Each structure stands twice: as C-alpha cells, then as structure tokens.
Amino acid sequence: MANHDSPVPLYIQIKDYLRLNIQNGVFPVNTRIPSERRLAEQFGVNRLTVSKALDELAQEGLVYAQVGKGTYVAPVKIDQTLQSLTSFSQDMQRRGYMPSSRVIYAGIDPASPEVARALSIPSGAEVAVLERVRLADGQIIALEQSHILYAVCPGILANHDFSRESLYHVLRTDYRLRLTHAHQTIEAQVVTAGTYQHLEAEPGTPVLSITRVTYTEDNTPVEFVRSAYRGDRYKFVTMLQAIE
Ligand code: 16G
C-alpha cells in the first residue's frame, strides 16, 4: 500500500519500490513485473499513477514494454553504471569538438586467429576491416582499426564513406544492429613506428592502447577494435559509485 500522507508523490513511491526490487533481483532481468492492474491494487492507486511510474522507469532504461504482454526488467544498461557505450563521433560531439576521420584502409579480409577468437568466428571468416585516423577539430586523437563481422553488415564498405560517416550510426540505422555493450581494456603502451607516424606524434610519446569487443543485445560479438589514443590529447573519465 502506498503512503498517501507522505510528501513523496505516489508514482515516485511505486518507482522506488520497483527499482529496489529490480536492483535486489526480486524481479530478475527479462522477467515480467506485476501488471499495471496488480500494482494499482497493491498500492491502492489508480492505473494512471502506475503507468506514469512505469513510463519513467522505461525512460531510465530499467524496464521495457512488450506490446500486449506487459512490462519486463531491462538488462543493465552500460550508461547507468560506469561508462556509456559511445562512438568516437558521439564522444567528441559531447565534448564540443567536431569529429572527422581519415580512412587509411577499408577492405573485406579473412579474420586472423586473434580477430576470429574475439568475434567467436572461424579463422578466415570474412570481416570488414576499417582503419581510420580519428580527429577532433582537425587535431589527431587516435588511430583505430575496426574489424566488423561481415555477415551482419554485407556491403558496408562499398555503400558508405567512413571519412564522413559514423560506423556506429551506420550499424545501428542501416543494419539495425542494437549495440548494447562492450568489453574494453585500456593500457599504456609504446606503439610501433608506423602508429606514431599516423598519430603524427614523436616516437616514445605515451599512448593509450585500447581493445574493444562490442556486442549486440543477444550477446553476439560484432566488432573488434584495436586503437591507439594520443596520451597527450585524450583521457578517460569514469564515474564511480559506492556499492551499497
Ligand atoms: C569508438 C570505439 C570504436 C568504434 C568507434 C565508432 C573506443 C575505444 N572505440 O572509437 O570501437 O568503432 O567509436 O566510431 O571508444 P564512429 O561511429 O564515430 O565511426
């Protein structure tokens, strides 16, 4: 039952109750939460109040509605935790810079054993390889070599100009891939002479080497990226939250 005398609005009380139960695992990921009608009865409120609570939880990415079936608990969103899964273009735009790219290589190649392992495909399977120098306001920030599972994006290199277009935008809009999470490692490294040349940086300058495997909603690895960010021009910022 909701506390009708509390200064906390009823829909917030319902939101808090649902959020707590989602966080505690009482309502596990991808299971249905009680119906609007049940919640309205349980809290002694009208269905509009419950519906407002559910709408807001959906906007916050905690639940999603399945038409005709009900409301389900959403998988944990990366951006609710520590970092968001952003593309270079989004990342730069958010920081107020104009992103651009120079394409160094674009081709459909057989996957090397390392790439094949990362993407869980057989060695030699086709991957679209895209190597780009990434710039912000005309300044070189990084060199990136992406390997994308070609089976999920046939024709991608022939139909797009990645010196202008965002890879994630194309994967999301043209190929309808829902890129939801990624596994990323970052380490400080001295890189090859060729990489320094592309970065137009003095050999020995600190570089952040990043590898990322990006997954779609159903956990399919679709992208394996190796990148080198100029340590003097780029830093990673992470928000940390106490575990209660
Ligand atoms: C980011 C990603 C990279 C992705 C690229 C797409 C890291 C370390 N890497 O740079 O995996 O391929 O964005 O950028 O953050 P785009 O959509 O702007 O082409």
Side-chain angles (χ1 to χ4, degrees), residues 86-91 99 101 130 132 134 144 146 162 165-169 184 210-212 214 223-225 227 229 234 236:
T86 51
S87 69
F88 183 86
S89 307
Q90 288 173 311
D91 197 10
S101 307
L130 182 59
R132 289 177 293 175
R134 314 298 312 257
E144 260 180 14
S146 312
F162 287 106
E165 290 180 82
S166 151
L167 174 63
Y168 277 12
H169 184 75
Q184 185 163 294
I210 304 171
T211 58
R212 181 189 277 197
T214 314
E223 181 201 40
F224 172 64
V225 185
S227 42
Y229 280 70
Y234 197 83
F236 282 86

Side-chain angles (χ1 to χ4, degrees), residues 55-144:
D55 282 349
E56 287 208 3
L57 286 174
Q59 267 168 30
E60 289 168 27
L62 261 77
V63 300
Y64 60 95
Q66 285 237 316
V67 183
K69 286 191 178 164
T71 305
Y72 290 73
V73 177
V76 177
K77 258 179 58 183
I78 301 254
D79 76 41
Q80 282 171 351
T81 55
L82 300 182
Q83 265 176 308
S84 10
L85 176 62
T86 51
S87 69
F88 183 86
S89 307
Q90 288 173 311
D91 197 10
M92 290 306 140
Q93 276 155 0
R94 269 187 210 175
R95 293 166 195 231
Y97 302 120
M98 171 70 95
S100 61
S101 307
R102 288 181 201 150
V103 176
I104 300 200
Y105 177 82
I108 311 301
D109 291 348
S112 67
E114 187 198 2
V115 172
R117 211 172 315 114
L119 293 176
S120 302
I121 51 175
S123 268
E126 282 184 326
V127 284
V129 181
L130 182 59
E131 192 168 3
R132 289 177 293 175
V133 172
R134 314 298 312 257
L135 302 92
D137 281 354
Q139 281 214 328
I140 295 177
I141 302 291
L143 175 70
E144 260 180 14

Side-chain angles (χ1 to χ4, degrees), residues 14 16 19 21 58 90 157 183-184 225:
I14 298 169
D16 288 347
R19 185 186 292 110
N21 282 291
Q90 288 173 311
L157 297 180
H183 182 263
Q184 185 163 294
V225 185

Side-chain angles (χ1 to χ4, degrees), residues 188-210:
Q189 267 184 352
V190 169
V191 289
T192 61
T195 301
Y196 280 119
Q197 243 169 36
H198 286 305
L199 291 175
E200 294 178 10
E202 282 300 312
T205 308
V207 164
L208 290 168
S209 285
I210 304 171

